[in-house]
Amino acid sequence: MEYVKSSGDSFADMQVNIGSLQLKNPVMTASGTFGYAREFENLMNLQRLGAVIVKGISLNPRPGNPPPRIVETSCGMLNAIGLQNVGVDRFIKEKMNYLAGLNVPVIVNILGDSIAEYEEITSRLQGVPGVAGIEVNISCPNVKKGGVAFGTDPKMAAAVTAAVKGKSTVPVMVKLSPNVSDIATIALAVEDAGADSVSLINTLIGMAVDLKTRRPALANIIGGLSGPAIKPVALRMVYEVAKKVSIPIIGVGGIETAEDALEFMLAGATAVQIGTANFVNPRASEDVVDGLAAYVVKEKLSSIRSMIGQLNLA
Amino acid sequence: MEYVKSSGDSFADMQVNIGSLQLKNPVMTASGTFGYAREFENLMNLQRLGAVIVKGISLNPRPGNPPPRIVETSCGMLNAIGLQNVGVDRFIKEKMNYLAGLNVPVIVNILGDSIAEYEEITSRLQGVPGVAGIEVNISCPNVKKGGVAFGTDPKMAAAVTAAVKGKSTVPVMVKLSPNVSDIATIALAVEDAGADSVSLINTLIGMAVDLKTRRPALANIIGGLSGPAIKPVALRMVYEVAKKVSIPIIGVGGIETAEDALEFMLAGATAVQIGTANFVNPRASEDVVDGLAAYVVKEKLSSIRSMIGQLNLA
Amino acid sequence: MSQYQENATVTRVEQLTEKNYRLTFESPLIAGVCKPGQFVMIRTSIGQDPLLRRPFSVHQVLGESQIQIYFKEVGRGTTLLAHAKVGDAYSIFGPLGRGFKINTGGPSILVGGGLGIAPLLLLLKENCRLKKTFDNDLVILGGRSRAEVEPLLEDFKQYGVTVRVATDDGSLGYQGYVTDILKASQVTGDSTVYGCGPELMLAGLAKICKEVGVACQVSVESVMACGMGACLGCSRPDKKGSYIHVCLNGPVFDAEKLEWNM
Amino acid sequence: MSQYQENATVTRVEQLTEKNYRLTFESPLIAGVCKPGQFVMIRTSIGQDPLLRRPFSVHQVLGESQIQIYFKEVGRGTTLLAHAKVGDAYSIFGPLGRGFKINTGGPSILVGGGLGIAPLLLLLKENCRLKKTFDNDLVILGGRSRAEVEPLLEDFKQYGVTVRVATDDGSLGYQGYVTDILKASQVTGDSTVYGCGPELMLAGLAKICKEVGVACQVSVESVMACGMGACLGCSRPDKKGSYIHVCLNGPVFDAEKLEWNM
Ligand SMILES: Cc1cc2nc3c(=O)[nH]c(=O)nc-3n(C[C@H](O)[C@H](O)[C@H](O)COP(=O)(O)OP(=O)(O)OC[C@H]3O[C@@H](n4cnc5c(N)ncnc54)[C@H](O)[C@@H]3O)c2cc1C
Ligand SMILES: Cc1cc2nc3c(=O)[nH]c(=O)nc-3n(C[C@H](O)[C@H](O)[C@H](O)COP(=O)(O)OP(=O)(O)OC[C@H]3O[C@@H](n4cnc5c(N)ncnc54)[C@H](O)[C@@H]3O)c2cc1C
Ligand SMILES: Cc1cc2nc3c(=O)[nH]c(=O)nc-3n(C[C@H](O)[C@H](O)[C@H](O)COP(=O)(O)O)c2cc1C
Ligand SMILES: Cc1cc2nc3c(=O)[nH]c(=O)nc-3n(C[C@H](O)[C@H](O)[C@H](O)COP(=O)(O)O)c2cc1C
Ligand code: FES
Ligand code: FES
């Protein structure tokens, strides 16, 4: 039960289940937008979160791309961070201790350029205290297949999923790429391969040009588009996937407020992730928790779960 | 030569060629956002346009979707007009006279739910005075193939293109759908099938939810996302396609200003289309023409063509 | 048909109730040509959020060069407008759409509910200018409570036409609906009813007028992107089972031509 | 390390030149903890355009509860800020980053160019508070012309430290660069140079200080999304060939740790 700040002494049933993972509320932070959580400790109450998803971790440390790595666009931003991270071993050694102490489920976002790499990271994360789940970022290029992203091909997506599932004792959430013709097919493929849940969407591939210098605005030329601009695409994809799969869906993309989160839940999401909004308002995720709880009370819902997939199509 | 309003008695070389189609400047209006041009006659000088692209025309009249058909989103909008139009025969009879009198090339956007329908519309448009080109909207569902959009499959896209080319004596521009994993492959397929140029992008598929009613905000549930929000996706796709094809590219998506248009040209576009911006500022397309001409003069360019594909990647 | 896009400067800001505002713009080109029932599209932000313009009926034309809108703060665009200050400039284009066709041959009955009152003031002015006599004319204004109607009352009364008021809570005038007042009034067959207000009120008007057999023109709303017939977004089913477009074919329609959901 | 997000009310607006502004905010939580060289993230719009916050150095802390920023109007965010009015509220969070480490053991030389002057005023105040003597301290302020430097001169001079000025056009002080003045000054080995300004100026400072063998701390800029180490967007190559992050590891760095492109 979540205490409702704004409505006196009310409590709201905010619990949701992502497969075997019980969350006290449906609000997570999106990978790459919340650091390793500690960055936000002064600006919000981390304990209020349903789950924390950390910045994507690879087997070996990655330095990331040269700057400029980010550029603002209309109601959004492009990033080409280049998956900078300290690598799985240092992550476990340097970051997990603090995270485990939060008493919030920690979901580790992982990435690789081969199936073997995904498997190896997964193995190393097993048994690490605090790791409650794994989110598989399949938007990365498969180096063995000429750099085609795992997430754009149902077979490759299924193969990564099965491989990670084979090594994992904790629930596996597969994060889908929106840069595909038919996201429901990919979702079905990863469901069949054993995914416990799917999260969507990752960023749309975009680009910006600096007219003054006549150069790409990002050193990497292309980058990932996130923020309110992409919310309609994310909502549509959640809706499409919800019609096809029966595993829980976690909605991501342009969510800033509790209203946004509720819209995703109506479209079929069991939970949501807050991404770019963390930059605009470092307390955004906590504000969404507050807003959802207030909504449950105001609308006299038996629980927040009663919103899931309840879009009225009549 | 385009007279430069803002810089005294200067003239700028603004001409561009889309295959055999010579345009006095690279600014067109995007299909579905400019009616049949006449709607704007009081609010701008239609003669200033490089070309007018009219609302999509089908073989038979289509009533369109029930309301609500549009909803605003962050820096964008969703539409589900449902391709309402008067059909090719009434279009020719009722609209082309006025359009032909404008002395601006008129490009007719066409759509169908079968290849035969695309062919038939094309045939009927041949020899109609004023019709300078055909833009083929391939984002429509192919009824014979279970409703998969022509534009998401290279083979179907090529087949429509070849069919229209077979019937057309005027240049054929194929308008690509962005809702695909790999737009360059589609672009190559339509180039091989004989397209004289490609325009991109059509709208991204999106959705909005009205939390108050708990219904989709559009009666059609999903709709097409347009406006500044999608500009980074459009720019990236133009850039990707420009690397692959050698036919001219027309950039569309979120263009509001001359600066936006120049960014698309740097990324590889020979010309641009102004869409949603026409609603925000009915004089937007004329303002872009003015801005481009002023830029040519200010930057002392030999012609606007010298910007095409000149993105500095060093 | 003339239409203009101008950068119009705010010359007066009036907050009439907690949420209702009236703005006066110096907008000479539009002021010179607009007719009762027509509307304008106003850009409410300097940036791209909100992106689209918002439609507002022309409430009054003042002198040669000023137009007024009367609006309620309901969302992001109207909140920005509610913060307008004298001297601020807004991009406005119009006038748009088909307005009311004033029938000078019989009594006029103007019925406005809530913000639907907005276009009726200009209509009343034109009505009184064009007609020889308006002894049998009637204005019926409705709102939720006193605050919603009272601030505009004098503006209507100045034309010398009978003005009756209905409020939901009875805090001003009759307690009930404007349609109740209409029903209770003597309406001759040569009358024309002009209505603007919530959909339900208009549907009620349409029904009464059909029964009584008098002409009824109503101004309806719709979501709009362009306001000028270019986007085909503002569709509405008509009686014949096809769609009309509010911005182009309306916003004022003969009530009998529209499909009413009651 | 304390950080706060507050809704800060504007208490004073100063337009110092055509494009340069100074805003004072009532921001007690941040004012209570911020150090010279640290910065804050300010939300410039109420809507989503522009979406991201903008970083600004803390220019001064006034009394117990007020902070000041000094900025130039260069784009959409700063244009919105330039239109701020007394009483407007802005969401601010901070203080962020690592500021200057004041070396109390030797002379301080503060070098600011253009908007880089902003953080130096708070630095000078702290410098003078912490040090026993500042007879040999020096402030060098540069700008394109008189207008860019003059309005801030008195604020610096009040601390009693020697202030020298360089302008590109010679309209105030020495005609040339701040680095020219630095080169011509007596700099003892125990001095610390503190710099903030355009990249080229900082690179010049770094070079001179390396040659002369004195410590040099510089405040650098970068595009930022989060300002707090969460996005990894504000990277900058360091000497060792990897990346540092301006918001977290800086914005103030030992100049010798950074990679300079001249
Ligand atoms: C032809 C025409 C003339 C109009 N004339 C007037 C007028 O004279 N005065 C006036 O106040 N309004 C008038 N309107 C309505 C006005 O355009 C809307 O109130 C305005 O667009 C809302 O913009 P927003 O950004 O504030 O609200 P949004 O942020 O777009 O919407 C906020 C919320 O308000 C709801 N909403 C939207 N429109 C209305 C509405 N009309 N009434 C109630 N809720 C609404 C939305 O569904 C949403 O839930 C007119 C509309 C049309 C089509
Ligand atoms: C740690 C830190 C502290 C800062 N402190 C200050 C300060 O005290 N005072 C101050 O005026 N600025 C300061 N800046 C710079 C300030 O953040 C930018 O000027 C601001 O973000 C521009 O926002 P905008 O929306 O107006 O411009 P945008 O619309 O984002 O950009 C408009 C144009 O200005 C260019 N531009 C962006 N930043 C700068 C810049 N710094 N200088 C010149 N051109 C730029 C862009 O490339 C673009 O061409 C600081 C930056 C950092 C990282
Ligand atoms: C700066 C940045 C870094 C990101 N890094 C990752 C990452 O490492 N792994 C991942 O799966 N997604 C990453 N994402 C994608 C987000 O998790 C999220 O899917 C996306 O931003 C859409 O949500 P939003 O619109 O709420 O930001 C990143 C996004 C941003 C903006
Ligand atoms: C209301 C509306 C109607 C549209 N109708 C068509 C159409 O009939 N045929 C077509 O090919 N594209 C249509 N489009 C897509 C536009 O032509 C354009 O590709 C898209 O809006 C992206 O450009 P923009 O962001 O500048 O609007 C329509 C777009 C809008 C907003
Ligand atoms: S609002 Fe665009 S056609 Fe009516
Ligand atoms: S701005 Fe986000 S990490 Fe520095």
Side-chain angles (χ1 to χ4, degrees), chain A residues 212, chain D residues 39 54-57 70-72 74-79 115 118 220-222 224 251:
Chain A
K212 270 187 227 148
Chain D
F39 67 99
R54 300 293 190 255
F56 296 94
S57 303
Y70 168 57
F71 69 97
K72 190 190 201 88
V74 297
R76 293 176 318 134
T78 47
T79 299
L115 270 292
V220 298
E221 286 191 4
S222 165
M224 292 188 176

Side-chain angles (χ1 to χ4, degrees), chain D residues 111 140 166 177-184 200-202 204-205 208:
Chain D
V111 187
I140 311 175
Y177 297 131
V178 286
T179 42
D180 300 335
I181 300 188
L182 179 65
K183 269 190 231 163
L200 262 180
M201 174 198 124
L202 297 182
L205 277 189
I208 298 168

Side-chain angles (χ1 to χ4, degrees), chain D:
Chain D
M1 195 173 59
S2 304
Q3 286 165 336
Y4 303 97
Q5 181 171 192
E6 5 188 19
N7 238 355
T9 307
V10 175
T11 56
R12 190 173 173 199
V13 179
E14 295 165 87
Q15 180 169 8
L16 300 184
T17 73
E18 195 205 335
K19 291 282 180 191
N20 293 2
Y21 292 80
R22 190 151 72 172
L23 289 184
T24 310
F25 296 95
E26 176 71 23
S27 185
L29 298 173
I30 297 172
V33 293
C34 64
K35 306 221 160 19
Q38 287 191 303
F39 67 99
V40 293
M41 294 291 281
I42 305 188
R43 192 160 176 181
T44 60
S45 66
I46 41 165
Q48 296 174 326
D49 178 46
L51 182 68
L52 300 173
R53 288 170 185 258
R54 300 293 190 255
F56 296 94
S57 303
V58 179
H59 174 56
Q60 285 200 86
V61 176
L62 301 171
E64 303 267 279
S65 65
Q66 308 207 71
I67 63 168
Q68 253 181 5
I69 62 165
Y70 168 57
F71 69 97
K72 190 190 201 88
E73 190 183 337
V74 297
R76 293 176 318 134
T78 47
T79 299
L80 287 170
L81 280 182
H83 284 82
K85 294 189 179 61
V86 169
D88 290 351
Y90 287 84
S91 172
I92 305 189
F93 74 77
L96 299 158
R98 299 193 191 178
F100 294 102
K101 293 176 294 287
I102 298 174
N103 172 15
T104 52
S108 303
I109 303 172
L110 282 59
V111 187
L115 270 292
I117 295 177
L120 298 190
L121 194 52
L122 183 59
L123 174 61
L124 182 60
K125 186 179 180 182
E126 274 298 285
N127 178 76
C128 296
R129 199 174 63 81
L130 292 175
K131 286 170 72 170
K132 297 225 176 67
T133 163
F134 34 90
D135 294 349
N136 297 321
D137 288 4
L138 174 65
V139 174
I140 311 175
L141 303 179
R144 248 171 295 178
S145 65
R146 170 186 286 261
E148 224 178 79
V149 183
E150 200 170 34
L152 293 172
L153 219 45
E154 276 314 308
D155 290 329
F156 279 89
K157 285 191 170 158
Q158 64 177 318
Y159 293 102
V161 172
T162 310
V163 179
R164 300 210 46 204
V165 173
T167 51
D168 294 356
D169 63 1
S171 53
L172 190 72
Y174 170 80
Q175 173 163 12
Y177 297 131
V178 286
T179 42
D180 300 335
I181 300 188
L182 179 65
K183 269 190 231 163
S185 306
Q186 299 282 355
V187 180
T188 55
D190 59 346
S191 304
T192 303
V193 171
Y194 307 91
C196 185
E199 188 73 13
L200 262 180
M201 174 198 124
L202 297 182
L205 277 189
K207 191 161 167 257
I208 298 168
C209 291
K210 198 178 170 191
E211 284 163 12
V212 183
V214 300
C216 178
Q217 298 174 26
V218 292
S219 175
V220 298
E221 286 191 4
S222 165
V223 202
M224 292 188 176
C226 73
M228 51 192 279
C231 74
L232 306 182
C234 61
S235 57
R236 196 188 152 107
D238 71 4
K239 263 256 145 29
K240 293 181 276 172
S242 69
Y243 295 113
I244 49 84
H245 292 282
V246 173
C247 74
L248 207 62
N249 312 118
V252 178
F253 294 91
D254 290 332
E256 59 185 23
K257 297 230 170 97
L258 298 179
E259 181 67 34
W260 296 103
N261 300 315
M262 309 253 323

Side-chain angles (χ1 to χ4, degrees), chain A residues 21-37:
Chain A
L21 194 65
Q22 280 197 1
L23 304 184
K24 66 171 175 289
N25 67 57
V27 182
M28 320 185 184
T29 55
S31 177
T33 66
F34 206 65
Y36 300 107

Side-chain angles (χ1 to χ4, degrees), chain B residues 30-33 54-57 70 77 79 81 83 109-111 135-138 175 200-203 224-228 230-231 252-255 273-277 279, chain C residues 225 230-233:
Chain B
S31 177
T33 66
V54 293
K55 172 75 190 158
I57 303 291
I70 48 179
M77 63 177 279
N79 86 78
I81 305 301
L83 301 167
N109 181 282
I110 65 168
L111 62 105
E135 183 181 51
V136 191
N137 177 357
I138 58 171
K175 184 161 181 187
L200 55 151
I201 57 177
N202 212 317
T203 52
L225 181 64
S226 64
I230 70 168
K231 188 183 134 192
V252 205
I255 300 176
Q273 297 177 11
I274 314 296
T276 302
F279 307 152
Chain C
C231 74
L232 306 182

